[in-house]
Protein backbone atom coordinates (compact mmCIF):
# COMPACT_ATOMS: atom_id res chain seq x y z
CA UNK A 1 0.00 0.00 0.00
CA UNK A 2 2.79 2.43 0.90
CA UNK A 3 4.54 1.54 -2.33
CA UNK A 4 1.40 2.31 -4.40
CA UNK A 5 0.73 5.52 -2.50
CA UNK A 6 4.31 6.72 -3.03
CA UNK A 7 4.15 5.94 -6.75
CA UNK A 8 0.84 7.78 -7.10
CA UNK A 9 2.36 10.86 -5.46
CA UNK A 10 5.59 10.42 -7.46
CA UNK A 11 7.75 10.53 -4.34
CA UNK A 12 10.45 8.07 -3.43
CA UNK A 13 9.75 6.26 -0.17
CA UNK A 14 11.92 4.04 1.99
CA UNK A 15 11.49 2.00 5.13
CA UNK A 16 14.40 2.84 7.41
CA UNK A 17 15.93 2.23 10.84
CA UNK A 18 14.85 -0.33 13.42
CA UNK A 19 12.42 -2.17 11.14
CA UNK A 20 15.11 -2.94 8.55
CA UNK A 21 17.67 -3.81 11.24
CA UNK A 22 15.31 -6.19 13.05
CA UNK A 23 14.06 -7.71 9.80
CA UNK A 24 17.62 -8.65 8.78
CA UNK A 25 18.31 -9.94 12.29
CA UNK A 26 15.02 -11.88 12.21
CA UNK A 27 14.08 -10.34 15.55
CA UNK A 28 10.38 -11.16 15.90
CA UNK A 29 7.35 -9.10 15.02
CA UNK A 30 7.97 -5.38 14.45
CA UNK A 31 5.96 -2.87 16.49
CA UNK A 32 6.74 0.25 14.54
CA UNK A 33 7.82 1.13 11.06
CA UNK A 34 9.61 4.34 10.06
CA UNK A 35 9.05 5.59 6.55
CA UNK A 36 11.12 8.32 4.90
CA UNK A 37 9.67 10.15 1.93
CA UNK A 38 11.78 12.25 -0.38
CA UNK A 39 9.13 14.94 -0.17
CA UNK A 40 6.24 15.36 2.25
CA UNK A 41 5.90 12.57 4.81
CA UNK A 42 2.55 14.01 5.88
CA UNK A 43 1.07 13.83 2.35
CA UNK A 44 2.30 10.26 1.98
CA UNK A 45 0.69 9.28 5.29
CA UNK A 46 -2.64 10.76 4.19
CA UNK A 47 -2.48 8.91 0.87
CA UNK A 48 -1.68 5.62 2.62
CA UNK A 49 -4.63 6.08 4.97
CA UNK A 50 -7.00 6.69 2.02
CA UNK A 51 -5.88 3.41 0.48
CA UNK A 52 -6.26 1.29 3.60
CA UNK A 53 -9.66 -0.40 4.02
CA UNK A 54 -10.19 0.93 7.58
CA UNK A 55 -8.99 4.49 6.69
CA UNK A 56 -7.01 4.97 9.92
CA UNK A 57 -6.76 8.41 11.48
CA UNK A 58 -3.57 10.23 10.53
CA UNK A 59 -2.00 12.05 13.45
CA UNK A 60 -0.04 15.00 12.13
CA UNK A 61 2.80 16.61 14.08
CA UNK A 62 3.15 19.81 12.09
CA UNK A 63 6.08 21.18 14.11
CA UNK A 64 8.11 18.06 13.43
CA UNK A 65 6.87 17.57 9.87
CA UNK A 66 5.88 14.01 10.73
CA UNK A 67 2.69 11.96 10.66
CA UNK A 68 1.67 8.69 12.23
CA UNK A 69 -1.05 6.16 11.65
CA UNK A 70 -1.90 2.82 13.18
CA UNK A 71 -2.57 -0.33 11.25
CA UNK A 72 -3.36 -3.33 13.45
CA UNK A 73 -0.80 -3.40 16.24
CA UNK A 74 1.66 -1.44 14.15
CA UNK A 75 2.51 2.25 14.36
CA UNK A 76 3.70 3.63 11.05
CA UNK A 77 5.57 6.90 11.20
CA UNK A 78 6.17 9.06 8.15
CA UNK A 79 8.79 11.76 7.83
CA UNK A 80 10.19 13.79 4.95
CA UNK A 81 13.93 13.21 4.40
CA UNK A 82 15.85 15.80 6.39
CA UNK A 83 19.19 17.26 7.14
CA UNK A 84 20.07 18.12 10.69
CA UNK A 85 22.60 20.39 12.38
CA UNK A 86 23.20 20.88 16.06
CA UNK A 87 23.93 23.62 18.60
CA UNK A 88 26.18 23.10 21.57
CA UNK A 89 23.57 23.37 24.32
CA UNK A 90 20.75 21.26 22.98
CA UNK A 91 20.07 17.86 21.45
CA UNK A 92 17.27 19.41 19.40
CA UNK A 93 18.63 19.86 15.89
CA UNK A 94 18.03 22.59 13.37
CA UNK A 95 16.16 20.79 10.61
CA UNK A 96 15.93 21.40 6.87
CA UNK A 97 14.66 19.32 3.93
CA UNK A 98 17.24 16.94 2.56
CA UNK A 99 18.01 13.90 0.45
CA UNK A 100 17.90 10.25 1.50
CA UNK A 101 21.64 10.48 2.04
CA UNK A 102 21.22 13.47 4.39
CA UNK A 103 18.61 11.48 6.27
CA UNK A 104 20.90 8.48 6.61
CA UNK A 105 23.71 10.78 7.78
CA UNK A 106 21.61 11.95 10.72
CA UNK A 107 21.07 8.41 12.03
CA UNK A 108 22.85 7.27 15.17
CA UNK A 109 24.38 3.96 14.09
CA UNK A 110 25.22 2.26 10.79
CA UNK A 111 22.83 -0.58 11.68
CA UNK A 112 20.04 1.99 12.14
CA UNK A 113 20.75 3.79 8.86
CA UNK A 114 19.77 0.97 6.50
CA UNK A 115 16.96 1.84 4.09
CA UNK A 116 14.85 -0.37 1.82
CA UNK A 117 13.20 1.18 -1.22
CA UNK A 118 9.43 0.82 -1.42
CA UNK A 119 8.58 2.21 -4.89
CA UNK A 120 7.79 -0.32 -7.58
CA UNK A 121 10.85 0.73 -9.51
CA UNK A 122 13.62 -0.63 -7.28
CA UNK A 123 11.35 -2.30 -4.71
CA UNK A 124 13.44 -3.98 -2.01
CA UNK A 125 16.75 -2.30 -2.94
CA UNK A 126 18.93 -1.92 0.15
CA UNK A 127 20.56 1.50 0.50
CA UNK A 128 23.48 1.06 2.79
CA UNK A 129 26.06 3.86 2.48
CA UNK A 130 27.91 3.00 5.72
CA UNK A 131 28.18 -0.80 5.45
CA UNK A 132 25.53 -1.28 8.10
CA UNK A 133 24.70 -4.71 6.69
CA UNK A 134 28.28 -5.81 7.30
CA UNK A 135 28.13 -4.40 10.84
CA UNK A 136 24.91 -6.30 11.48
CA UNK A 137 26.54 -9.54 10.39
CA UNK A 138 29.63 -8.81 12.51
CA UNK A 139 27.48 -7.61 15.45
CA UNK A 140 29.08 -4.19 15.70
CA UNK A 141 27.74 -0.82 16.86
CA UNK A 142 29.40 1.93 14.83
CA UNK A 143 28.43 5.52 14.08
CA UNK A 144 28.00 6.61 10.45
CA UNK A 145 30.10 9.76 10.94
CA UNK A 146 32.94 10.71 13.30
CA UNK A 147 31.82 9.27 16.67
CA UNK A 148 32.96 12.37 18.57
CA UNK A 149 30.57 14.48 16.51
CA UNK A 150 27.74 11.94 16.67
CA UNK A 151 27.91 11.68 20.48
CA UNK A 152 28.54 15.34 21.14
CA UNK A 153 25.62 16.43 18.87
CA UNK A 154 23.17 14.22 20.72
CA UNK A 155 24.68 12.70 23.87
CA UNK A 156 21.67 10.42 24.37
CA UNK A 157 23.25 8.33 21.61
CA UNK A 158 25.91 7.21 24.11
CA UNK A 159 23.18 5.53 26.12
CA UNK A 160 21.55 4.24 22.96
CA UNK A 161 24.85 2.65 21.86
CA UNK A 162 25.11 0.80 25.16
CA UNK A 163 21.43 -0.08 25.11
CA UNK A 164 21.63 -1.60 21.61
CA UNK A 165 24.87 -3.42 22.47
CA UNK A 166 23.05 -4.97 25.44
CA UNK A 167 19.74 -5.75 23.75
CA UNK A 168 21.33 -7.22 20.62
CA UNK A 169 24.48 -8.57 22.28
CA UNK A 170 26.68 -6.53 19.94
CA UNK A 171 30.11 -5.00 20.47
CA UNK A 172 30.69 -1.27 20.47
CA UNK A 173 33.50 -0.55 18.03
CA UNK A 174 36.71 0.59 19.77
CA UNK A 175 36.79 4.17 18.42
CA UNK A 176 33.18 4.62 19.37
CA UNK A 177 33.80 3.38 22.90
CA UNK A 178 36.71 5.80 23.30
CA UNK A 179 34.55 8.64 21.99
CA UNK A 180 31.88 7.82 24.59
CA UNK A 181 34.50 8.09 27.34
CA UNK A 182 35.64 11.44 25.94
CA UNK A 183 32.13 12.83 25.60
CA UNK A 184 30.58 11.48 28.80
CA UNK A 185 30.31 14.94 30.40
CA UNK A 186 27.99 16.03 27.57
CA UNK A 187 25.29 13.77 29.03
CA UNK A 188 24.33 16.68 31.31
CA UNK A 189 22.23 18.24 28.54
CA UNK A 190 19.97 15.17 28.42
CA UNK A 191 16.86 14.92 30.57
CA UNK A 192 16.67 12.28 33.30
CA UNK A 193 13.50 10.88 31.75
CA UNK A 194 15.27 10.05 28.50
CA UNK A 195 18.19 8.46 30.29
CA UNK A 196 15.83 6.40 32.41
CA UNK A 197 14.03 5.12 29.32
CA UNK A 198 17.34 3.76 28.10
CA UNK A 199 18.31 2.41 31.53
CA UNK A 200 15.02 0.55 31.75
CA UNK A 201 15.60 -0.98 28.31
CA UNK A 202 19.03 -2.13 29.47
CA UNK A 203 17.45 -3.48 32.62
CA UNK A 204 14.88 -5.44 30.58
CA UNK A 205 17.51 -7.10 28.35
CA UNK A 206 18.49 -10.76 28.72
CA UNK A 207 21.81 -9.90 30.37
CA UNK A 208 21.59 -6.44 31.92
CA UNK A 209 25.10 -6.78 33.36
CA UNK A 210 26.53 -6.18 29.89
CA UNK A 211 24.99 -2.71 29.76
CA UNK A 212 25.90 -1.81 33.33
CA UNK A 213 29.49 -2.94 32.81
CA UNK A 214 29.71 -0.71 29.71
CA UNK A 215 28.11 2.21 31.55
CA UNK A 216 30.64 1.68 34.32
CA UNK A 217 33.64 1.47 32.00
CA UNK A 218 32.70 4.57 30.05
CA UNK A 219 32.12 6.64 33.19
CA UNK A 220 28.43 7.18 32.43
CA UNK A 221 27.19 5.12 35.37
CA UNK A 222 28.92 7.28 37.95
CA UNK A 223 27.00 10.28 36.62
CA UNK A 224 23.58 8.76 37.09
CA UNK A 225 24.04 6.16 39.86
CA UNK A 226 27.12 7.08 41.93
CA UNK A 227 25.71 5.00 44.80
CA UNK A 228 26.23 1.94 42.64
CA UNK A 229 29.74 2.65 41.40
CA UNK A 230 30.76 3.35 45.01
CA UNK A 231 30.32 -0.41 45.58
CA UNK A 232 33.20 -1.21 43.25
CA UNK A 233 36.51 -2.33 44.70
CA UNK A 234 37.93 -4.67 47.28
CA UNK A 235 39.66 -3.41 50.41
CA UNK A 236 42.17 -5.41 52.35
CA UNK A 237 43.04 -4.96 56.02
CA UNK A 238 45.20 -7.40 57.95
CA UNK A 239 44.96 -9.87 55.11
CA UNK A 240 41.17 -9.84 55.14
CA UNK A 241 39.18 -8.88 52.07
CA UNK A 242 35.49 -8.34 51.37
CA UNK A 243 33.83 -9.17 48.06
CA UNK A 244 33.49 -6.63 45.28
CA UNK A 245 29.90 -5.58 45.81
CA UNK A 246 29.56 -3.88 42.44
CA UNK A 247 30.36 -6.97 40.37
CA UNK A 248 28.41 -9.06 42.84
CA UNK A 249 25.39 -6.81 42.22
CA UNK A 250 25.65 -7.27 38.46
CA UNK A 251 25.71 -11.01 38.98
CA UNK A 252 22.57 -10.80 41.13
CA UNK A 253 20.81 -8.71 38.46
CA UNK A 254 21.61 -11.31 35.79
CA UNK A 255 20.56 -14.13 38.08
CA UNK A 256 17.22 -12.54 38.79
CA UNK A 257 16.72 -11.69 35.14
CA UNK A 258 16.82 -15.39 34.35
CA UNK A 259 13.81 -15.85 36.62
CA UNK A 260 11.70 -12.74 36.11
CA UNK A 261 11.01 -10.11 33.49
CA UNK A 262 9.57 -7.77 36.12
CA UNK A 263 11.35 -4.44 35.77
CA UNK A 264 10.88 -3.45 39.40
CA UNK A 265 12.21 -6.68 40.75
CA UNK A 266 15.25 -6.15 38.56
CA UNK A 267 15.60 -2.64 40.02
CA UNK A 268 15.39 -4.13 43.49
CA UNK A 269 18.23 -6.49 42.60
CA UNK A 270 20.32 -3.58 41.26
CA UNK A 271 19.86 -1.62 44.46
CA UNK A 272 19.86 -4.44 47.01
CA UNK A 273 23.32 -3.67 48.36
CA UNK A 274 23.64 0.10 47.91
CA UNK A 275 23.79 0.70 51.65
CA UNK A 276 27.06 -1.21 51.76
CA UNK A 277 29.41 1.54 50.59
CA UNK A 278 28.55 4.07 53.31
CA UNK A 279 28.38 1.44 56.10
CA UNK A 280 31.58 -0.47 55.34
CA UNK A 281 33.85 -0.88 58.40
CA UNK A 282 36.68 -3.08 59.50
CA UNK A 283 36.57 -4.44 63.05
CA UNK A 284 39.64 -5.99 64.53
CA UNK A 285 37.65 -8.91 65.99
CA UNK A 286 35.04 -9.63 63.34
CA UNK A 287 36.64 -8.33 60.15
CA UNK A 288 34.62 -6.50 57.47
CA UNK A 289 31.05 -5.55 58.36
CA UNK A 290 28.27 -3.60 56.69
CA UNK A 291 26.18 -3.33 59.82
CA UNK A 292 22.90 -1.48 59.32
CA UNK A 293 23.35 -1.27 55.54
CA UNK A 294 19.79 -2.45 54.93
CA UNK A 295 18.22 0.57 56.63
CA UNK A 296 20.73 3.00 55.17
CA UNK A 297 20.16 1.38 51.76
CA UNK A 298 16.39 1.71 51.99
CA UNK A 299 16.70 5.42 52.70
CA UNK A 300 19.12 5.78 49.82
CA UNK A 301 16.61 4.15 47.47
CA UNK A 302 14.06 6.75 48.45
CA UNK A 303 16.42 9.62 47.70
CA UNK A 304 17.71 8.04 44.54
CA UNK A 305 14.23 7.55 43.12
CA UNK A 306 13.38 11.13 43.94
CA UNK A 307 16.53 12.38 42.24
CA UNK A 308 15.82 10.32 39.12
CA UNK A 309 12.22 11.52 39.21
CA UNK A 310 10.98 7.96 39.34
CA UNK A 311 7.43 7.97 40.63
CA UNK A 312 7.15 7.68 44.41
CA UNK A 313 4.35 5.18 44.02
CA UNK A 314 3.65 1.64 45.15
CA UNK A 315 6.35 0.27 42.86
CA UNK A 316 8.92 2.49 44.45
CA UNK A 317 7.82 1.51 47.93
CA UNK A 318 8.04 -2.08 46.83
CA UNK A 319 11.63 -1.67 45.63
CA UNK A 320 12.50 0.06 48.88
CA UNK A 321 10.98 -2.76 50.90
CA UNK A 322 12.79 -5.33 48.83
CA UNK A 323 16.09 -3.63 49.44
CA UNK A 324 15.41 -3.55 53.13
CA UNK A 325 14.51 -7.21 53.24
CA UNK A 326 16.98 -8.62 50.78
CA UNK A 327 19.71 -7.76 53.23
CA UNK A 328 19.11 -11.04 54.99
CA UNK A 329 18.62 -13.39 52.09
CA UNK A 330 20.23 -16.41 53.62
CA UNK A 331 18.45 -15.95 56.90
CA UNK A 332 15.14 -15.54 55.12
CA UNK A 333 15.71 -18.42 52.76
CA UNK A 334 16.64 -20.92 55.47
CA UNK A 335 14.03 -19.70 57.94
CA UNK A 336 16.51 -18.69 60.60
CA UNK A 337 15.48 -15.05 60.91
CA UNK A 338 15.81 -13.82 64.45
CA UNK A 339 15.85 -10.11 63.91
CA UNK A 340 12.37 -8.82 64.82
CA UNK A 341 12.53 -5.88 62.38
CA UNK A 342 13.22 -8.26 59.55
CA UNK A 343 10.48 -10.60 60.77
CA UNK A 344 8.02 -7.72 60.66
CA UNK A 345 9.12 -6.82 57.16
CA UNK A 346 8.60 -10.36 55.96
CA UNK A 347 5.14 -10.22 57.46
CA UNK A 348 4.56 -6.91 55.67
CA UNK A 349 5.72 -8.29 52.37
CA UNK A 350 2.28 -9.77 51.70
CA UNK A 351 1.91 -10.36 47.99
CA UNK A 352 5.58 -9.62 47.44
CA UNK A 353 6.83 -12.58 49.41
CA UNK A 354 7.33 -14.66 46.25
CA UNK A 355 9.27 -11.83 44.64
CA UNK A 356 11.34 -11.49 47.75
CA UNK A 357 12.20 -15.18 47.67
CA UNK A 358 13.19 -14.85 44.00
CA UNK A 359 15.47 -11.97 44.90
CA UNK A 360 16.97 -13.93 47.81
CA UNK A 361 17.52 -16.89 45.53
CA UNK A 362 19.27 -14.65 42.99
CA UNK A 363 21.50 -13.29 45.72
CA UNK A 364 22.51 -16.55 47.34
CA UNK A 365 23.17 -18.32 44.06
CA UNK A 366 25.89 -15.80 43.12
CA UNK A 367 29.22 -17.51 43.05
CA UNK A 368 32.02 -15.36 41.86
CA UNK A 369 31.97 -11.61 41.36
CA UNK A 370 35.60 -11.82 40.22
CA UNK A 371 34.54 -13.99 37.32
CA UNK A 372 32.03 -11.30 36.41
CA UNK A 373 34.62 -8.57 36.36
CA UNK A 374 36.86 -10.71 34.18
CA UNK A 375 34.04 -11.66 31.84
CA UNK A 376 33.22 -8.02 31.24
CA UNK A 377 36.80 -7.10 30.57
P1 LIG B 1 13.64 0.26 19.17
O1 LIG B 1 12.25 0.43 18.64
O2 LIG B 1 14.02 -1.11 19.55
O3 LIG B 1 13.98 1.27 20.22
P2 LIG B 1 14.53 1.69 16.87
O4 LIG B 1 15.79 1.63 16.08
O5 LIG B 1 13.24 1.59 16.12
O6 LIG B 1 14.64 0.57 17.97
P3 LIG B 1 13.74 4.31 17.72
O7 LIG B 1 14.14 5.05 18.93
O8 LIG B 1 12.29 4.01 17.49
O9 LIG B 1 14.61 2.98 17.74
O10 LIG B 1 14.30 5.10 16.47
C1 LIG B 1 13.98 4.81 15.14
C2 LIG B 1 15.14 5.19 14.24
O11 LIG B 1 15.37 6.60 14.32
C3 LIG B 1 16.46 4.55 14.65
O12 LIG B 1 16.62 3.28 14.05
C4 LIG B 1 17.47 5.55 14.14
O13 LIG B 1 17.68 5.42 12.76
C5 LIG B 1 16.75 6.88 14.36
N1 LIG B 1 17.07 7.49 15.67
C6 LIG B 1 16.37 7.41 16.80
N2 LIG B 1 16.93 8.13 17.78
C7 LIG B 1 18.02 8.70 17.26
C8 LIG B 1 19.03 9.58 17.76
N3 LIG B 1 19.02 9.98 19.01
N4 LIG B 1 19.99 9.97 16.90
C9 LIG B 1 20.00 9.56 15.61
N5 LIG B 1 19.10 8.73 15.10
C10 LIG B 1 18.12 8.30 15.88
Amino acid sequence: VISEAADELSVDAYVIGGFVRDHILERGEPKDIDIVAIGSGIELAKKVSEKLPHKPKVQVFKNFGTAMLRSGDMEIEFVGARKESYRKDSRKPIVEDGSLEDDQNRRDFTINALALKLNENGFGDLLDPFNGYEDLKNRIIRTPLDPDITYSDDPLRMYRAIRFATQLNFMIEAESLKAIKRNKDRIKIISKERILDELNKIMLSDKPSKGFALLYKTGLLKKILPELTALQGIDEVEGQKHKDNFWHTLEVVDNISENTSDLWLRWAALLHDIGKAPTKKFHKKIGWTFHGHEFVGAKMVFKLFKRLRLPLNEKMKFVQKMVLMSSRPIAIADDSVTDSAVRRLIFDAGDHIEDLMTLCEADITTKNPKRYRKYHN
Side-chain angles (χ1 to χ4, degrees):
V1 172
I2 299 172
S3 175
E4 274 176 29
D7 281 343
E8 278 175 34
L9 292 174
S10 302
V11 298
D12 283 348
Y14 301 85
V15 54
I16 195 162
F19 178 90
V20 183
R21 180 196 68 219
D22 291 347
H23 179 70
I24 295 171
L25 288 174
E26 298 176 14
R27 261 187 103 222
E29 285 298 299
K31 283 190 301 296
D32 34 57
I33 308 184
D34 294 302
I35 306 291
V36 171
I38 316 303
S40 167
I42 297 171
E43 291 310 310
L44 180 59
K46 287 181 180 162
K47 192 72 170 178
V48 170
S49 170
E50 274 171 30
K51 295 177 99 39
L52 284 168
H54 59 299
K55 312 267 180 283
K57 191 173 171 301
V58 179
Q59 254 182 295
V60 175
F61 306 95
K62 258 218 163 107
N63 293 349
F64 296 98
T66 64
M68 194 269 280
L69 59 82
R70 270 179 235 278
S71 178
D73 287 344
M74 220 122 61
E75 276 187 6
I76 313 179
E77 190 152 338
F78 296 81
V79 61
R82 55 174 57 174
K83 192 175 174 172
E84 292 183 343
S85 49
Y86 287 82
R87 290 153 294 187
K88 193 119 193 97
D89 56 342
S90 165
R91 69 177 286 265
K92 287 213 181 74
I94 301 162
V95 174
E96 46 189 313
D97 290 345
S99 60
L100 176 70
E101 214 168 49
D102 292 326
D103 204 279
Q104 285 174 301
N105 276 334
R106 76 178 175 91
R107 304 279 157 173
D108 46 5
F109 307 112
T110 60
I111 60 165
N112 284 346
L114 294 162
L116 282 174
K117 192 161 186 195
L118 292 174
N119 302 77
E120 196 186 346
N121 179 15
F123 185 86
D125 286 354
L126 181 68
L127 289 108
D128 178 17
F130 311 112
N131 287 326
Y133 186 80
E134 191 95 352
D135 286 344
L136 267 184
K137 293 289 153 191
N138 294 325
R139 311 183 80 80
I140 288 174
I141 306 285
R142 188 197 311 274
T143 59
L145 308 176
D146 178 340
D148 277 297
I149 296 173
T150 299
Y151 294 126
S152 171
D153 277 352
D154 176 1
L156 184 67
R157 292 169 181 161
M158 300 190 279
Y159 264 89
R160 285 175 60 88
I162 292 173
R163 186 257 287 190
F164 283 119
T166 312
Q167 280 182 326
L168 305 173
N169 195 18
F170 275 32
M171 263 190 49
I172 299 177
E173 175 251 346
E175 283 312 310
S176 216
L177 202 59
K178 284 187 208 156
I180 295 179
K181 286 182 190 162
R182 284 194 291 270
N183 286 280
K184 62 177 186 300
D185 293 338
R186 295 273 300 147
I187 201 72
K188 64 174 182 281
I189 69 166
I190 305 295
S191 75
K192 293 253 168 52
E193 287 79 359
R194 294 241 173 217
I195 295 178
L196 263 175
D197 276 350
E198 298 300 326
L199 265 185
N200 283 340
K201 286 182 181 169
I202 291 172
M203 197 75 113
L204 287 171
S205 306
D206 289 345
K207 240 188 201 309
S209 70
K210 175 161 179 153
F212 284 101
L214 283 167
L215 288 172
Y216 171 70
K217 268 193 242 174
T218 52
L220 285 168
L221 191 60
K222 194 170 181 185
K223 298 198 171 287
I224 189 99
L225 291 172
E227 299 87 346
L228 203 63
T229 54
L231 293 175
Q232 195 276 331
I234 301 170
D235 288 324
E236 183 172 349
V237 176
E238 295 176 3
Q240 293 196 58
K241 293 181 186 172
H242 60 78
K243 69 176 175 231
D244 186 314
N245 283 304
F246 175 71
W247 295 103
H248 160 75
T249 292
L250 297 196
E251 199 177 1
V252 175
V253 174
D254 279 356
N255 277 355
I256 208 155
S257 302
E258 281 172 19
N259 294 303
T260 177
S261 51
D262 187 303
L263 177 64
W264 297 99
L265 197 44
R266 292 179 180 203
W267 267 102
L270 188 75
L271 302 178
H272 84 286
D273 264 352
I274 54 166
K276 282 194 172 170
T279 54
K280 180 164 75 179
K281 281 199 184 71
F282 184 81
H283 277 286
K284 273 206 159 12
K285 280 192 189 141
I286 40 178
W288 289 104
T289 76
F290 303 91
H291 186 72
H293 79 85
E294 48 279 72
F295 300 102
V296 172
K299 276 191 199 152
M300 286 167 76
V301 169
F302 184 80
K303 281 197 189 145
L304 188 152
F305 269 49
K306 227 172 159 175
R307 192 185 72 228
L308 298 184
R309 298 191 199 99
L310 277 161
L312 296 177
N313 57 14
E314 282 310 307
K315 295 259 163 101
M316 182 270 170
K317 286 185 200 149
F318 155 58
V319 173
Q320 193 178 27
K321 204 173 265 183
M322 295 292 254
V323 168
L324 202 50
M325 292 189 290
S326 70
S327 57
R328 309 285 164 87
I330 296 170
I332 292 168
D334 74 3
D335 237 13
S336 64
V337 184
T338 51
D339 185 320
S340 64
V342 176
R343 268 184 183 287
R344 204 179 58 237
L345 282 163
I346 294 171
F347 189 72
D348 280 354
D351 293 345
H352 293 316
I353 195 72
E354 295 255 320
D355 294 335
L356 174 64
M357 295 311 279
T358 312
L359 181 58
C360 292
E361 190 64 26
D363 197 355
I364 59 180
T365 51
T366 60
K367 301 227 161 47
N368 194 350
K370 238 193 239 166
R371 185 185 52 128
Y372 250 65
R373 192 178 47 209
K374 267 201 200 130
Y375 164 74
H376 284 297
N377 277 331

